[in-house]
Amino acid sequence: MANRRQSLTILIVYFIIYALPSLLIAVFKHLGSQVFLIQTLDYLIGAVLLAWLATRLSTPNPIERHPRRWPIALLWGLIGFVLVVIVQFIVLQIDQWLGHSVASTNTSTLLTVGHQYPFFFLAIFVGAPIMEEIVFRKVIFGNLSSLTGPLGAALISSVFFSFAHADGHLVLYALIGLCFCWLYHRTGRIQTSMLAHILMNALAIMSAIYHF
């Protein structure tokens, strides 16, 4: 029961963190570009807060009952990063062959802001991945695993993850979410999927900036 309350608290805090910049814009219309600094601080503070709340969970979820040693967990994070890049490349190639747009509205928007305000990349590289791994993998996937089994929980978590990005690439984000669930399940440490997620975001942005 204590874990359920703490998990619900994490979800509520997550939604508040994501809604806060939009709420501030609606209330204080004169903020202008300051909102990007506020959003960056909001994401970074939110990541620290959610990480702290996650440590307050009284018992490990089914995924974390037999964690792998740290060197192995971090190695799988690097392997997972490569896996996610391959999955992303294959899906985008298929989309291109089918005549679908491979452009990412989400990435384009973030790049536009980041070019003008480089500090905003901290929100993308650090804040967002940490919060998303805690919410979609540790809380949703981890807690649902005891009810639906790992596969069912992974599918539910990944669908939510995909819709949260609202980018038009639902299948791609769902597959990426499944990869992160698999990494977390593989090592029993959320830091594994966090590392892969951070590296993925960094590569996506850097590739777009320098046209790798």
Side-chain angles (χ1 to χ4, degrees):
M1 185 61 71
N3 262 16
R4 290 181 182 178
R5 286 197 300 269
Q6 194 68 9
S7 295
L8 181 59
T9 300
I10 288 173
L11 291 176
I12 292 172
V13 170
Y14 173 74
F15 285 121
I16 291 173
I17 290 165
Y18 267 84
L20 184 59
S22 298
L23 180 62
L24 289 175
I25 291 174
V27 176
F28 304 103
K29 294 182 171 53
H30 64 282
L31 281 176
S33 62
Q34 292 178 340
V35 71
F36 299 117
L37 176 59
I38 292 171
Q39 187 172 2
T40 301
L41 294 174
D42 178 47
Y43 278 27
L44 294 177
I45 293 171
V48 172
L49 180 57
L50 289 187
W52 177 77
L53 288 172
T55 65
R56 305 286 293 175
L57 294 168
S58 56
T59 56
N61 64 47
I63 306 299
E64 297 179 342
R65 286 175 184 164
H66 304 288
R68 303 289 290 271
R69 291 183 296 111
W70 278 109
I72 300 298
L74 295 177
L75 176 60
W76 272 107
L78 297 175
I79 294 171
F81 160 62
V82 176
L83 173 64
V84 170
V85 171
I86 293 172
V87 167
Q88 190 171 12
F89 175 78
I90 292 173
V91 173
L92 291 178
Q93 284 297 312
I94 293 173
D95 278 345
Q96 196 169 36
W97 291 334
L98 294 175
H100 299 160
S101 173
V102 297
S104 170
T105 304
N106 187 44
T107 302
S108 298
T109 302
L110 297 176
L111 274 173
T112 300
V113 176
H115 273 303
Q116 295 182 339
Y117 312 101
F119 58 79
F120 185 72
F121 285 129
L122 287 174
I124 305 169
F125 294 165
V126 182
I130 290 175
M131 290 193 292
E132 289 174 357
E133 290 310 305
I134 291 171
V135 169
F136 294 103
R137 255 60 70 180
K138 188 178 181 72
V139 172
I140 298 178
F141 173 53
N143 287 342
L144 288 179
S145 291
S146 59
L147 299 175
T148 65
L151 180 57
L155 289 172
I156 293 170
S157 166
S158 298
V159 168
F160 283 138
F161 177 70
S162 181
F163 280 112
H165 285 80
D167 195 27
H169 297 285
L170 296 178
V171 173
L172 174 60
Y173 279 106
L175 289 174
I176 290 173
L178 286 173
C179 289
F180 290 148
C181 286
W182 179 76
L183 289 170
Y184 179 33
H185 185 269
R186 177 82 185 180
T187 66
R189 293 190 185 276
I190 194 63
Q191 291 83 0
T192 301
S193 57
M194 278 183 185
L195 175 59
H197 197 159
I198 288 170
L199 292 175
M200 183 198 75
N201 280 18
L203 178 63
I205 297 299
M206 291 298 104
S207 297
I209 291 175
Y210 297 108
H211 306 290
F212 287 165

